[in-house]
Amino acid sequence: MSIVIRNGTIVNATGAYPADVLVEGERIAALAAPDSGLAEQWAAGAERVIDAAGKYVVPGGIDGHTHMEMPFGGTFSADNFETGTIAAAWGGTTTIVDFAVQGKGTSVLSALDKWHSKADGNCAIDYGFHMIISDVNDTSLKEMEACIDAGVNTFKMFMAYPGVFYATDGEILRAMQKARDTGSMIMMHAENGIAIDQLVLQALANGQTDPVQHGLTRPPELEGEATSRAIALAKVTGAPLYIVHLSAAHALDAVTQARDTGQNVFAETCPQYLFLSLEDLARPDFEGAKYVASPPLRPREHQAELWRGLRTNDLSLVSTDHCPFCFKDQKELGRGDFSKIPNGMPGVEHRMDLLYQGVVRGEITLPRWVEISSTTPARMFGLYPRKGVIAPGADADITVYDPTARQTISASTHHMNVDYSAYEGMELTGKVSTVLSRGRVVVDDNAFHGAAGHGRFLKRDLSQYLI
């Protein structure tokens, strides 16, 4: 099918300019000046013309950190690959990179096969995988090489959650050495889990059981310490390092210092750390449980530092860490014991909109919005220039965005399979108008036109940022 998107303003990471877009099949075929005869010819012969007057035409969002059907605390995240990717499409995201999970004592490759079986035929948009390595041994290190051959070349490890995902410094060192030798990259959940567990035990022993204790027992200093330690291990091994869901100024300071010395260290943050705070965790009547995630929400003063990090590129991109648990029956597992509240928050549907508020408020520029939501994830995770850019030859993953539309976020209108919104009642400027996934219109005129099974698995190349 040929589609022409007319009269819009293309916004890439490099800048904004008026142009019409010709889509043929699954790819962008050409761009043309809107007043050119060529654009008129395209429109005359196209099977469909989309009028983008007054709107931005941007590359579809890439959410590099999601957890669909994620096992945690005796339950599973509420979105599966069908519901989660449909919600992502509604919000202008056309690619996710989810996490396959190796459990202790299991095979890395069997875990990857399991996640393929969950996603295959169920995704409404394209998808890739990272691999969580929770059991470092000779076999799993060898299996990392097979994962890379299969297009999975980023490996997440945990300095938190002792007894579940926790890796010792020695295990992290060995995995980093393998990453160095293969050109792959270690992703790190950087919190000092050993110290945190002691603080949790002490809080519970003192009768401090409310959700806010989740934040108070995971202080920002322990995120900063773990981030510094991970950076030191990466420096010793010569491996690249990617810090996931960075939430605290302490951790950002460590990343900034490492990057200033030229070390291959990168970091993401998430919308919840830019817009929510410890005050939300302290909401009364157990409402704070809705905001339990790890790392936790921080005092509000950290937000300005994170926005600064996005402007200076010490924070490279923004993902969601989308890991939703319903308030009823799931979050409520932690009534009377905050340590039993499943860790995770919904967000995949609203990332593009929330980040656009950074443009509205003057925190970031329009091209930077596209860079942190699409282009940098594409380059970081080996998908560029197939993804992350409006250019001839790229996949026709396109979001037409209305910068003047108004909307109010609510669980009553969102499409994620979760019974609350972390941003309930928040009024936003800007809204997705039309979304194309590989040339197929999947969202248009406030309706979903896609289908589970349209999305394809993406074998990813190595990161394009490594030096």
Side-chain angles (χ1 to χ4, degrees), residues 128-203:
F129 290 126
H130 310 290
M131 174 59 67
I132 289 176
I133 302 289
S134 62
D135 198 353
V136 177
N137 53 54
D138 291 344
T139 300
S140 60
L141 290 171
K142 184 66 177 176
E143 287 182 315
M144 286 173 66
E145 299 177 12
C147 285
I148 295 167
D149 292 339
V152 178
N153 50 50
T154 36
F155 302 94
K156 183 180 179 182
M157 303 187 76
F158 289 79
M159 293 169 140
Y161 305 126
V164 183
F165 294 129
Y166 174 79
T168 67
D169 288 357
E171 291 168 335
I172 293 169
L173 184 84
R174 293 187 68 193
M176 284 183 170
Q177 289 170 334
K178 176 62 71 171
R180 174 200 63 204
D181 294 343
T182 56
S184 58
M185 187 156 57
I186 298 297
M187 310 173 81
M188 190 62 67
H189 180 133
E191 290 185 287
N192 187 324
I194 301 296
I196 286 168
D197 274 11
Q198 288 302 309
L199 293 174
V200 169
L201 289 172
Q202 292 168 7

Side-chain angles (χ1 to χ4, degrees), residues 365-398:
T365 65
L366 188 61
R368 183 62 176 160
W369 171 54
V370 170
E371 191 170 25
I372 62 178
S373 63
S374 183
T375 308
T376 295
R379 289 172 170 156
M380 188 70 69
F381 301 128
L383 295 171
Y384 188 88
R386 179 178 176 183
K387 308 288 188 183
V389 65
I390 303 293
D395 282 356
D397 289 358
I398 301 171

Side-chain angles (χ1 to χ4, degrees), residues 62-65 97 130 185 187 242-246 259 266-271 273-274 306 309-311 313-321 351 355 368-381 463 465:
I62 300 173
D63 192 340
H65 189 151
V97 190
H130 310 290
M185 187 156 57
M187 310 173 81
Y242 182 98
I243 302 295
V244 295
H245 48 48
L246 188 149
R259 289 175 60 82
F266 311 94
E268 67 178 20
T269 192
C270 306
Y273 305 123
L274 296 168
L306 298 181
L310 287 172
R311 287 192 295 273
N313 202 39
D314 291 309
L315 289 172
S316 298
L317 56 93
V318 179
S319 301
T320 59
D321 192 16
R351 183 182 64 111
L355 289 178
R368 183 62 176 160
W369 171 54
V370 170
E371 191 170 25
I372 62 178
S373 63
S374 183
T375 308
T376 295
R379 289 172 170 156
M380 188 70 69
F381 301 128
S463 174
Y465 284 111

Side-chain angles (χ1 to χ4, degrees), residues 68 71 81 98-101 111-119 129:
M68 309 300 177
F81 280 91
D98 203 82
F99 285 85
V101 182
L112 181 57
D113 289 342
K114 183 177 182 179
W115 255 257
H116 271 300
S117 68
K118 291 183 180 188
F129 290 126

Side-chain angles (χ1 to χ4, degrees), residues 281-313:
L281 267 174
R283 292 190 183 196
D285 301 324
F286 199 65
E287 286 290 310
K290 297 176 179 179
Y291 301 91
V292 168
S294 294
L297 301 180
R298 301 300 185 187
R300 193 169 298 277
E301 56 264 27
H302 289 258
Q303 294 176 1
E305 291 300 305
L306 298 181
W307 282 113
R308 179 192 59 78
L310 287 172
R311 287 192 295 273
T312 62
N313 202 39

Side-chain angles (χ1 to χ4, degrees), residues 6 20 31-42:
R6 299 218 64 191
D20 288 3
L31 309 178
D35 56 355
S36 68
L38 186 59
E40 294 287 348
Q41 292 175 25
W42 293 348

